[in-house]
Amino acid sequence: MASGSINWFKYSAPSNFYVLAGRIVPWAALLAVVLGVAGLYLSFFVAPTDFRQGEGYRIIFIHVPAAWMSMFIYLVMACWAAVGLVMNTRVSYMMVTALAPTGAMFTFIALWSGALWGKPMWGTWWVWDARLTSELILLFLYIGFMALQSSISDSRRADRAGALLILVGVVNIPIIYYSVKWWNTLHQGASISLNAAPTMALIMFWTLIVMTLACWAYTIAVVYARARCIVLERERNTTWVKELVGGKQHD
Amino acid sequence: MFAAFQCVIRRDLLLALRRRSDIFTTLFFFIIVVSLFPLGVGPDADILRLIAPGIMWVAALLASMLALERLFANDYADGSLEQMMLTPQPLFLLVLGKVIAHWLVTGLPLVLIAPLLGVQYDLSSEGITVLLLTLLLGTPVLSLIGAIGAALTLGVRGGGVLVSLLVLPLYIPVLIFGAGAVEASVSGLGAEGHIYLLGAILIMALCFAPLAAAAALRISME
């Protein structure tokens, strides 16, 4: 850690990446559990009742982190896809593949918790509002990516085709992000922004941050664990994998 | 460079003219889907006028999906696509030529028949004009975005269904602004805003979609 010059390209070799990911996973998982427990405790017992929305607002503590993660994971996928297309590194494609299911899950959670929140607050499960619709499109993009990858049997072509699709779909992200500003529809505006004080009680804000960090840690743990499986699967014919599994490989 | 571009357009148009049934399949699909709705929803003119823009646009979307498979598949099957990629001409220009030819064959007929269907739906003449204009701006975008999906799924099993999964989410903005423009003009609000946005989408698609489709073709062909 302390040495100034780490050779980052070292980890673009699947064997080194596998070891690094294996070191990260348990710590990230531990962090996710600790932060998750702390965040849930804060959100259920410490955060005060909202004066307008009552207890129902507590859904925000899962809804907003999930919505953030759904967009953020897509952007991370787009970055890895671009790196993969430019530098032709296999590990970046593996990261794209590993990120997709988690991103789809967070998108689904954001939509679902939003529906549960919408029923008591707006009196409806679903409206065809700009932000809801664009988030739904995001879910379709994730599903389309996974469908494309799974239907192409040549993994190299699947990787590159998927990466291109992700980069094309990235136009949707600013649309979701700005949708509450551009269209004045039912979804409420953002309560938190980078250049202004949050318009909510400070304890609520910090609870939200803790929950978001918990989601981050969870994502890191799950994605690296999944990436490790993908590395093993793709590299199953190499010597280092055969040595790793102790010669139990048959093909 | 532009000679090759024109050559691709002329070749594709000629091929389409030799196989006229392809053109009519798309057109009749559009007409039939649009005509089915009054039978399903009921012949109430007020309701029909209300739902006309959405139905026309969704039908146009589905019809253009139907035609997408033919964009590269035949050339891929007989090897001429590979030859095109081996020429020194920039690939995105050839792709653009193919897309334009494809739109002339499958998109333009939809635009031309739309006023007639608009009359069936009791749209006002103003609404029909706006519908025509939005389809004219929007259907090329459908072909352009569709080209990316068609190129990505070239030769993939179950490609036809997969294309719809990949491309339909990207079509949604076109659908929203296209149908929104007609709705806005029918309800007395100006349609200009929607039309400008559609124009902006078209320009963006013209700039970037051929590049993306060309990259997708290279990925699929290697």
Side-chain angles (χ1 to χ4, degrees), chain A residues 85 133 137 140-141 143-145 147-148 150-153 156-157 160-162 164-165 168-169 171 175 183, chain B residues 76 148 151-157 162 165-166 169-170 172-173 176-177 204 212-213 215-216 219-220 222:
Chain A
L85 283 177
T133 312
I137 301 176
F140 292 153
L141 286 174
I143 293 173
F145 168 79
L148 180 70
S150 60
S151 67
I152 301 177
S153 39
R156 189 179 142 77
R157 185 184 159 189
R160 293 162 60 86
L164 188 78
L165 183 70
V168 170
V171 289
I175 297 181
W183 290 281
Chain B
Y76 177 66
I148 306 173
L152 280 176
T153 56
L154 207 55
V156 169
R157 68 191 137 83
L162 194 58
L165 197 56
L166 301 185
L170 300 172
I172 291 175
I176 290 174
F177 293 120
M204 242 182 74
I219 292 169
S220 297
E222 62 183 31

Side-chain angles (χ1 to χ4, degrees), chain B residues 44-132:
Chain B
D44 186 354
D46 286 334
I47 294 177
L48 287 184
R49 212 176 301 125
L50 208 64
I51 60 176
I55 286 171
M56 299 276 200
W57 262 100
V58 171
L61 244 61
L62 295 177
S64 78
M65 299 269 344
L66 198 67
L68 275 183
E69 265 180 280
R70 288 196 296 278
L71 188 48
F72 298 116
N74 286 342
D75 287 348
Y76 177 66
D78 66 13
S80 46
L81 190 62
E82 212 166 352
Q83 298 303 319
M84 270 183 223
M85 291 174 67
L86 289 173
T87 59
Q89 310 297 336
L91 183 59
F92 76 91
L93 210 62
L94 301 183
V95 170
L96 186 62
K98 283 188 78 63
V99 171
I100 289 173
H102 184 259
W103 176 74
L104 287 173
V105 171
T106 59
L108 196 58
L110 303 190
V111 180
L112 296 178
I113 202 77
L116 195 64
L117 298 171
V119 172
Q120 278 191 331
Y121 274 76
D122 199 29
L123 277 179
S124 63
S125 62
E126 206 180 330
I128 290 177
T129 318
V130 173
L131 178 70
L132 200 64

